[in-house]
Amino acid sequence: MSARGTDPVMGLDDIGRDDLDVAGGKGANLGELLRGGFRVPAGFVVTTGAYRQAFEDAALAEEVPSAAMNDADADRVRAAVGAMTVPAGVEAAIIEAYRALGRAAGDDALAVAVRSSATAEDLPGATFAGQQDTFLNVVGAHAVVDAVRRCWASLWTQRAVAYRTRAGIDHREVSIAVVVQVLVDADTAGVMFTANPVTGARDETIIDANPGLGEAVVSGRVTPDHFVVGADGGVRQRRLGRREVIIVPDAGGGVREIAGGDPGDPDAPDAPDRLDDDTLRSMAAVGTRIAEHFGGPQDIEWVSTDGQISIVQARSLTALPPEPVRVNAIRRLMTGIVAELLPIRPTPLDMTTWTVHGHGRILTRMLAEIPAIRISLADMLPEADGVVDRLVPPDPHPSLRTPATPFRMAPRIRRFRTERWNEDPRFAEFDREVEALRAIDLGTLGWTELVRVPRRALDILDGLITLRIDYLPRAGFDLLRLRMLLGVLGLGRDASSLTRGVRTRTGDANAALSALAAAVAADAAWREAFESSTDAELEAKLAASHELDDLRARIADFTNEYGHRETTSAFLASEPTWGDDPAMLFGAVRALLVRTAEPAPGGAEPDAGTGVHPGDGGATAAERRIRGRRRVRFLFLGDKILAVAAHARAGIAFREDSHFHAMRPMPPLRHALLEAGARLVSAGVLAEPQEVFHLRYEELLAIDDPAAVSARQHSRLREAVEQRARRRGRYAGAPLVSPLTLRAARSDDDVVVSGTPAGGGRSTGPARIIREAADFARLQPGDILVCPYTNPSWTPLFQLAAGVVVDTGGLASHAAIVAREYGLPTVMGTGGGTSALRDGQIVTVDGGTGLVSIEPAS
């Protein structure tokens, strides 16, 4: 710590960016802004030295546990800090600094803002936005001292402790300063981003504004005015807010809220006019200068009084997507495929096992069959300091050999018929090897045998990949043949109906899940256990209650058959399967419990074999329509069309089922890696087994025996894990690719989201943002499912949804295929539907045009 950190109080103008350990992130940045000549309200900092002195005087060091803190620990420490006495010298220094501010401002009862400024705050990878407390319009010296103590206590809120834990920050090392500044009685305030936080565009400045103090905007209490300013100073977008509430200083100290209302409403309080273009241009210029000063995009809080802009906070803009890349249709399609398969950032151990050499190898080997379409996932996912930092669009260049690809595949198309692919001896061998792998007792293996299990799993998968390469061309050929035949006859609209109702292993899993949900709904004790318990509580009840023995057995049967299904991505071994973490299963059952009291769309129930709604009769009704067409009867083509449709359905089933089976070697691979992690925990190298995923596979192979790791190797491994964990934490929330790379933006006023049209007509309903399994039960019948990605684990929700909007993916992605089975309007590859739409907003999804628009009723 700087020697100056022992001073209890320092002026803001004495502080710069190098004083993080003294002034915390917020204070250091504000002092740096002052030094840079920017308008910042006058103030002082109660340093970390003052906090540490008070903390030591109260003998609270032992209250902070050495291991991870839980909520009870956080509450205990916070209460103790909130009750501690401010040392007399610190209190006197605060009072004198406050009075000096008042004398300079000519106001003995000066109103100030008191803001927390932790040493782990406003950093390049961890802003801690809103994690510690701020107090506005504090009046009087003793009120300021009390607000400082409350800021100190806010270092230990549950949310701040959880944020530090996720960011890998040691609770015993963190400290806190407090910034005290003259309160600007703003007529308008808000936030400014010097890059677009949604698209990653660095040539745009985003400004959100609302009358009154900025707390209304920062806390999300209002829909602010929203402006996008281009690098040339032009206002590219202007969306006016609702001014639901305005926060203003209260005469007695503190703040109060007044109704904002519509500016056109005669009963609304007076409020300043919207920011004009000149003001916006001037603000954006200030933001650009601040970004240049700090050397990167900034998240800025500002206040305005009589047109004068003051900066009250600036911090690095985190979770920023990579810059948009201009790509052609082919590159966009291929990038979208990988983005859908990687909704979260792969770990080093993912990259060196399952992502590149496992399930990802299916994609790369399939594309390698097409000349000039060779891609490398390792090249598409470059790493910085051991952590993947972005997704680079591939750049394939067709050659003169590319058009001949169908002719080279002709022998496979003739030989390998998808109707009987699972009778191929290679599949039987794959099945035997997977079951043998599953039967291994990992705990009995020596280290060398254990770390070779992942390699064995990858070798087993390679056999299925070869089989998939042989059969998939036939699947594509039959589907293309059906569409061409129907197209020539002018019956193209019947293609989707003729390929519905396919029996697949995914459909079997969904039907089994529906049956499980129906059984839970029919048993009062089972239903009560699901509806009144958290996931952890339900697991405990299943383990302890004899009344739930039969339910436990049914769940065990389900997970034994389908537990290898991925919860997040088929490309990631670091994420649990349904068998590892039943949260996805519990969430799906809870969602389907809603449906047990409601008829299926159209009054139909799911087909027991496929798990899909027959709707209008699916393929059977389409077959009748086809046979009834005059041109079909005249040309005697009815049997031919239906035969080709049957082949196409077999191809669709093959694609789904081969994916289902390709995931079967992953759980043994994952469990072997976690067992290796557990042994490294015993050796003191790791703090918990899951940390093993921060290592690379070759680093595991280089360990001869965890119990005999040298001090040097121990230090090197521990340092690698901690460094990669910290870097990964800095990327938290940032997508691998900009939404604009995946989908060009539209300017239609009512169209807020656009993407790849995936069929299903049109549907209107409330948008329901579902990001993870914990949200599943929020989806109600008739909702529009809006999600970042989908995989087979999400398909039970399609029984409830009226439409589907997905951030990633394309026509051939899993969500699109299954949604067409259900006849749902679907838009894929929106790039940012989960960000652009609000939960509960009434939207219309058009699966024919790929547009999602807001209904006026919203």
Side-chain angles (χ1 to χ4, degrees):
M1 178 178 30
S2 166
R4 298 192 301 163
T6 56
D7 298 333
V9 169
M10 293 179 64
L12 266 181
D13 50 3
D14 291 328
I15 290 170
R17 72 171 79 189
D18 295 330
D19 292 313
L20 172 69
D21 57 346
V22 175
K26 188 181 284 94
N29 287 351
L30 285 171
E32 183 66 26
L33 286 170
L34 269 174
R35 289 184 176 184
F38 297 95
R39 182 185 293 273
V40 175
F44 61 89
V45 173
V46 182
T47 66
T48 56
Y51 167 76
R52 288 193 173 103
Q53 181 184 343
F55 199 79
E56 290 168 5
D57 288 355
L60 295 181
E62 293 183 0
E63 294 288 333
V64 182
S66 57
M69 293 183 67
N70 56 34
D71 289 349
D73 293 330
D75 289 343
R76 186 180 66 255
V77 177
R78 185 185 186 193
V81 173
M84 70 185 182
T85 301
V86 178
V90 172
E91 181 174 14
I94 294 172
I95 291 173
E96 173 54 32
Y98 169 74
R99 288 173 175 167
L101 267 185
R103 288 194 296 271
D107 187 350
D108 292 338
L110 182 67
V112 295
V114 182
R115 296 184 171 94
S116 304
S117 180
T119 54
E121 183 176 345
D122 289 358
L123 303 179
T127 67
F128 276 78
Q131 303 307 306
Q132 280 87 223
D133 288 344
T134 288
F135 302 97
L136 301 177
N137 195 32
V138 180
V139 180
H142 293 290
V144 171
V145 172
D146 183 60
V148 167
R149 180 173 42 233
R150 286 188 285 165
C151 284
W152 287 346
S154 72
L155 184 67
W156 303 100
T157 60
Q158 291 180 8
R159 64 180 184 269
V161 167
Y163 192 106
R164 287 199 296 272
T165 299
R166 183 181 63 79
I169 295 171
D170 191 333
H171 303 295
R172 293 166 298 177
E173 297 298 323
V174 73
S175 188
I176 189 170
V178 179
V179 176
V180 180
Q181 286 179 286
V182 174
L183 180 73
V184 177
D185 189 5
D187 49 44
T188 306
V191 296
M192 172 166 50
F193 302 108
T194 63
N196 192 314
V198 176
T199 68
R202 269 58 168 183
D203 64 344
E204 292 183 341
T205 297
I206 311 301
I207 299 172
D208 284 355
N210 195 69
L213 300 178
E215 182 64 18
V217 176
V218 174
S219 65
R221 296 287 308 280
V222 296
T223 305
D225 294 345
H226 178 80
F227 309 97
V228 179
V229 183
D232 60 356
V235 180
R236 298 179 180 177
Q237 186 179 17
R238 177 187 293 272
R239 188 170 68 237
L240 302 184
R242 297 189 180 89
R243 298 186 172 184
E244 295 96 334
V245 67
I246 298 174
I247 296 178
V248 297
D250 199 357
V255 298
R256 61 189 176 91
E257 298 179 0
I258 57 178
D262 190 306
D265 184 345
D267 296 326
D270 291 337
D273 293 335
R274 313 284 179 167
L275 299 178
D276 59 32
D277 287 6
D278 288 341
T279 302
L280 292 169
R281 190 176 298 111
S282 175
M283 290 177 64
V286 171
T288 299
R289 287 174 47 219
I290 291 174
E292 291 172 350
H293 185 86
F294 282 107
Q298 297 290 300
D299 170 356
I300 298 165
E301 293 181 25
W302 55 271
V303 294
S304 174
T305 301
D306 298 328
Q308 292 284 349
I309 304 296
S310 298
I311 307 301
V312 295
Q313 185 162 318
R315 57 193 172 210
S316 296
L317 186 53
T318 59
L320 188 64
E323 289 194 64
V325 178
R326 195 179 295 274
V327 294
N328 59 30
I330 294 176
R331 294 184 72 195
R332 181 179 293 119
L333 172 64
M334 296 177 68
T335 305
I337 290 171
V338 178
E340 180 187 30
L341 292 168
L342 285 171
I344 63 175
R345 203 172 303 274
T347 67
L349 199 48
D350 283 321
M351 287 294 293
T352 49
T353 57
W354 193 249
T355 299
V356 174
H357 306 291
H359 211 280
R361 187 161 163 75
I362 298 176
L363 175 65
T364 55
R365 281 196 61 188
M366 289 296 304
L367 289 173
E369 296 297 309
I370 306 173
I373 310 295
R374 297 180 183 275
I375 67 169
S376 164
L377 283 175
D379 291 341
M380 290 183 68
L381 299 164
E383 295 176 86
D385 297 329
V387 180
V388 172
D389 69 345
R390 66 191 186 282
L391 170 57
V392 177
D395 192 15
H397 295 283
S399 68
L400 294 176
R401 298 177 59 212
T402 303
T405 299
F407 299 100
R408 285 194 303 275
M409 291 185 176
R412 286 181 179 150
I413 293 172
R414 287 193 297 268
R415 179 180 175 186
F416 297 106
R417 301 295 184 97
T418 53
E419 289 87 345
R420 295 186 176 182
W421 78 273
N422 52 8
E423 297 175 13
D424 191 305
R426 291 175 293 177
F427 178 70
E429 177 66 18
F430 167 82
D431 189 62
R432 284 193 299 270
E433 291 181 349
V434 170
E435 290 306 309
L437 191 66
R438 291 180 63 187
I440 294 175
D441 184 350
L442 297 173
T444 65
L445 298 181
W447 175 261
T448 301
E449 294 174 290
L450 176 66
V451 294
R452 287 177 179 169
V453 167
R455 185 170 288 167
R456 178 178 171 183
L458 297 174
D459 289 342
I460 292 171
L461 177 64
D462 212 43
L464 184 68
I465 294 174
T466 301
L467 188 148
R468 204 171 196 259
I469 288 172
D470 284 342
Y471 282 89
L472 205 56
R474 179 72 195 203
F477 171 77
D478 285 332
L479 191 58
L480 179 62
R481 187 166 55 144
L482 174 64
R483 292 189 177 277
M484 289 180 65
L485 182 58
L486 293 175
V488 168
L489 295 172
L491 305 175
R493 292 184 177 181
D494 286 309
S496 60
S497 297
L498 284 171
T499 54
R500 287 183 63 193
V502 181
R503 173 74 178 266
T504 68
R505 294 297 284 141
T506 296
D508 291 345
N510 292 342
L513 187 61
S514 293
L516 175 60
V520 169
D523 187 293
W526 293 9
R527 182 162 194 151
E528 191 277 335
F530 264 91
E531 294 185 335
S532 66
S533 308
T534 64
D535 292 338
E537 291 169 345
L538 182 55
E539 278 195 86
K541 289 179 181 179
L542 288 169
S545 173
H546 291 299
E547 188 179 15
L548 302 177
D549 282 349
D550 289 343
L551 175 58
R552 182 172 62 252
R554 289 198 63 153
I555 291 175
D557 288 343
F558 181 90
T559 54
N560 184 60
E561 183 73 14
Y562 305 110
H564 63 275
R565 298 172 78 188
E566 67 271 25
T567 57
T568 304
S569 167
F571 271 34
L572 301 174
S574 56
E575 293 295 299
T577 63
W578 281 47
D580 293 333
D581 181 3
M584 184 76 77
L585 172 62
F586 294 164
V589 169
R590 290 190 185 99
L592 292 175
L593 285 176
V594 175
R595 186 173 167 270
T596 59
E598 307 233 2
E605 289 299 318
D607 182 271
T610 65
V612 304
H613 294 291
D616 65 353
T620 302
E623 289 170 4
R624 289 196 297 269
R625 289 197 301 272
I626 289 290
R627 289 187 181 277
R629 296 293 175 89
R630 180 178 303 174
R631 71 194 75 172
V632 173
R633 293 201 310 270
F634 178 75
L635 296 172
F636 301 100
L637 288 177
D639 290 341
K640 175 68 173 177
I641 293 172
L642 300 185
V644 173
H647 292 311
R649 289 196 296 272
I652 292 171
F654 164 74
R655 181 187 184 277
E656 284 294 303
D657 290 353
S658 58
H659 170 91
F660 175 90
H661 289 290
M663 288 302 297
R664 290 170 59 195
M666 197 275 276
L669 175 145
R670 169 180 162 79
H671 297 158
L673 296 175
L674 287 171
E675 173 65 21
R679 297 187 191 185
L680 289 171
V681 170
S682 298
V685 176
L686 303 181
E688 56 183 11
Q690 191 74 18
E691 283 190 338
V692 74
F693 288 102
H694 293 302
L695 295 174
R696 300 177 68 82
Y697 188 44
E698 54 266 28
E699 291 171 333
L700 287 182
L701 293 174
I703 299 172
D704 294 327
D705 179 2
V709 170
S710 68
R712 181 179 179 183
Q713 189 177 28
H714 181 289
S715 175
R716 187 169 64 249
L717 291 171
R718 186 68 237 162
E719 182 180 352
V721 167
E722 292 176 352
Q723 178 188 17
R724 293 166 189 170
R726 283 194 300 271
R727 187 169 186 88
R728 185 176 176 83
R730 293 172 187 169
Y731 286 123
L736 284 166
V737 64
S738 167
L740 287 186
T741 301
L742 299 176
R743 172 58 46 185
R746 295 181 62 93
S747 59
D748 312 50
D749 290 339
D750 59 339
V751 173
V752 291
V753 171
S754 63
T756 300
R762 287 166 57 91
S763 183
T764 299
R768 196 65 59 210
I769 313 298
I770 305 294
R771 298 183 185 276
E772 56 187 352
D775 298 331
F776 279 11
R778 296 180 51 247
L779 189 74
Q780 301 294 309
D783 283 351
I784 303 297
L785 170 62
V786 183
C787 52
Y789 63 92
T790 66
N791 57 48
S793 301
W794 291 68
T795 54
L797 301 186
F798 290 12
Q799 299 181 38
L800 303 173
V804 181
V805 178
V806 190
D807 286 353
T808 56
L811 272 174
S813 63
H814 176 84
I817 292 171
V818 178
R820 286 194 291 271
E821 282 280 328
Y822 283 82
L824 296 176
T826 303
V827 177
M828 304 294 300
T830 63
T834 53
S835 301
L837 298 175
R838 296 196 309 275
D839 205 66
Q841 201 169 33
I842 306 301
V843 299
T844 293
V845 180
D846 192 324
T849 63
L851 305 180
V852 181
S853 54
I854 298 176
E855 292 302 304
S858 290

